[in-house]
Every structure is written in C-alpha cells, then in structure tokens.
Amino acid sequence: MLAAHALVDGCDSPALRELAGLPRRSDETEIRELYVQALHELGIPLPDEETAGRWCLVNLAFGLAKGELGPKDVADRLSMTVAARTPEETQFLSVAADYSKWMGPDELPGWENDLRTSAHSLTASTDLGSAIGVPGPRRD
C-alpha cells in the first residue's frame, strides 16, 4: 500500500509500479526485493536496520492513530526486533508487546486504549513520519 501511496505522491519507477500492483499476501522475499530495487531506482538509500525498525514503529503508530489499523493488526505486524530510541517509541513498543491472544474480554479494551494513547503520543512527538511520507507534528 505504501508503494501505491508513493506513486500517487509523484514517485515513479518500474519496481515501485510492480510493488504497488502486488496482492496483499504476496511472497515476503519478492516484496523485499522489489522494495530494495524501487529504492535504488528512486535514488533513496536503504535505511540501516535500526532506522527501518523505527520507521516501521512510527508507521504502525500513524496507522493506528488514523484508524487504518486496529490494535490487533499492530500487535500482529510488530517485530520485537524493532529498536526504540525515544520514550514514546519505547512506550508504544512496550504496550504493543503486552498483547496476547489469551487476553480476556475484560482486559482487551484497556490494552487497546493504552495502545491508542501511546500511538497518539508517538505520532505527536516524532519527526520520522516525514521520512515515510506522513506529516510530522506541528511545531507552532
């Protein structure tokens, strides 16, 4: 989906077009190869592992804050190898990691609320969003 958004925003390359056209459940290896190729074609350096992980964390927080992802989607997509550098990133990662499919119906709403709260805190405090095409916090 990010590839499709990049195309709409004016970025274009053969690999990016191919990536945007892939079905949602495509092979992860194919997705990664096309992603790396698209970055190369666009002249964008591949981020180091820590930066990529932080971008992933911020992207998940923005997705949750904007209602594009649900709390369980965030927990399912989150890799525990993601690095957190700021207190807000650490809090979001920590709350997301607390999810368990064995949570009872009385625990789930509190966890979802805590995750949304930490997502809003992260999206309001980060400048990484601009690097992934999401506006950062206003600094008025």
Side-chain angles (χ1 to χ4, degrees):
M1 204 56 194
L2 290 174
H5 287 292
L7 287 169
V8 169
D9 290 343
C11 295
D12 193 12
S13 82
L16 188 63
R17 279 182 255 136
E18 190 174 343
L19 188 59
L22 287 179
R24 179 171 238 170
R25 302 208 188 278
S26 295
D27 177 63
E28 290 180 23
T29 303
E30 181 182 13
I31 292 170
R32 175 159 174 72
E33 289 172 0
L34 283 170
Y35 175 74
V36 171
Q37 184 179 345
L39 289 177
H40 177 75
E41 291 171 357
L42 295 167
I44 300 170
L46 186 65
D48 61 71
E49 192 171 327
E50 178 184 337
T51 302
R54 291 180 67 217
W55 283 354
C56 175
L57 197 63
V58 168
N59 190 36
L60 290 171
F62 271 101
L64 182 64
K66 292 168 51 179
E68 296 169 353
L69 295 173
K72 289 181 188 176
D73 297 321
V74 170
D76 290 344
R77 294 178 186 186
L78 192 60
S79 166
M80 291 304 122
T81 60
V82 170
R85 192 178 278 175
T86 68
E88 294 84 5
E89 291 171 358
T90 302
Q91 179 66 21
F92 182 72
L93 184 58
S94 175
V95 172
D98 283 342
Y99 174 74
S100 167
K101 64 181 178 180
W102 293 283
M103 280 183 162
D106 56 325
E107 299 171 290
L108 200 54
W111 173 78
E112 290 176 344
N113 185 55
D114 291 347
L115 188 62
R116 282 190 176 92
T117 299
S118 64
H120 286 288
S121 177
L122 175 53
T123 60
S125 69
T126 190
D127 61 353
L128 281 176
S130 61
I132 59 173
V134 179
R138 293 184 56 176
R139 307 271 189 221
D140 295 334

